[in-house]
Amino acid sequence: MKLKSVALVLLTALMVVPAFAADDAEKKGKGKGQGGGNVAAALIKKLEVVGLTDEQTEKIKEMGKKLAPEMKELTAAAKLTPELSKKLAAAQKEIREAGQIKGKEVMKAAHEKAGLTAEQSEAMGKLNEARMKFQASVLAMLTDEQKAKLPKTMQRGAAAAKGKGKKKKEAAAAE
């Protein structure tokens, strides 16, 4: 009888422990993959230097919640993994440091070097496009004082968000 009790306790423990481990992984944000990360939180962290208001922070979080499912779906459909993302980042860094290729060609060469399939390369492009649109919409809601405090890497995006469609309007007016 004792053997049956011990076996029952062990069996129960084997079933319960993985369930708690899965809950802990979810709470810590593990296992989300590349597209499941919180884009809004990452951008808010980058924008700490500009002094976001509570209202702006909330808007960014809401926008991020709407974007997350799209990004997660793209990531899952193309089977993009964190390892593949690291491989791609290393390839990009190596290509940029070599300085032989510039602009959009860097991404193309990095995708080839990292071994991305055409589907994965397309998905990465869509993910990047979604991220850039999100960032542009966030930068557009910053005040001029906040934009002045932006890190240099983000200032070009803020200028593009501010003058969105300006060239098209000027060209149409010139005709």
Side-chain angles (χ1 to χ4, degrees):
M1 187 69 180
K2 286 185 180 182
L3 185 60
K4 285 184 181 179
S5 297
V6 171
L8 182 61
V9 169
L10 285 175
L11 184 61
T12 304
L14 286 173
M15 291 172 32
V16 172
V17 170
F20 283 116
D23 286 346
D24 287 346
E26 281 182 22
K27 288 177 186 173
K28 291 179 184 174
K30 292 183 181 177
K32 288 184 176 185
Q34 190 229 341
N38 192 337
V39 180
L43 190 53
I44 289 169
K45 186 168 178 73
K46 282 183 183 180
L47 294 174
E48 284 178 347
V49 296
V50 303
L52 292 172
T53 66
D54 291 340
E55 184 180 326
Q56 287 172 321
T57 303
E58 283 305 310
K59 282 183 182 178
I60 294 169
K61 286 179 182 178
E62 284 301 313
M63 292 166 57
K65 284 180 185 177
K66 291 177 184 174
L67 179 63
E70 175 188 344
M71 295 184 81
K72 193 170 185 176
E73 185 179 310
L74 280 169
T75 302
K79 298 178 182 151
L80 297 172
T81 63
E83 293 80 24
L84 191 57
S85 294
K86 288 177 187 175
K87 199 174 179 182
L88 180 61
Q92 285 175 319
K93 183 178 180 183
E94 187 178 321
I95 291 168
R96 282 196 174 108
E97 286 176 353
Q100 298 170 346
I101 303 173
K102 301 268 185 210
K104 292 181 181 180
E105 294 300 313
V106 171
M107 287 303 291
K108 185 177 180 183
H111 285 200
E112 288 175 15
K113 186 170 183 134
L116 269 69
T117 65
E119 181 185 55
Q120 289 171 325
S121 187
E122 184 180 337
M124 288 295 275
K126 288 180 181 178
L127 281 169
N128 192 42
E129 187 178 318
R131 222 179 272 117
M132 295 305 288
K133 282 182 182 177
F134 173 70
Q135 182 173 318
S137 60
V138 168
L139 295 178
M141 70 180 176
L142 297 179
T143 65
D144 289 338
E145 292 82 27
Q146 289 172 320
K147 287 178 185 174
K149 296 177 187 176
L150 281 173
K152 288 190 186 260
T153 56
M154 296 180 80
Q155 285 179 356
R156 188 174 46 178
K162 186 177 183 181
K164 211 174 202 180
K166 190 175 182 179
K167 289 182 182 177
K168 288 182 182 177
K169 288 177 186 174
E170 287 173 359
E175 291 178 359

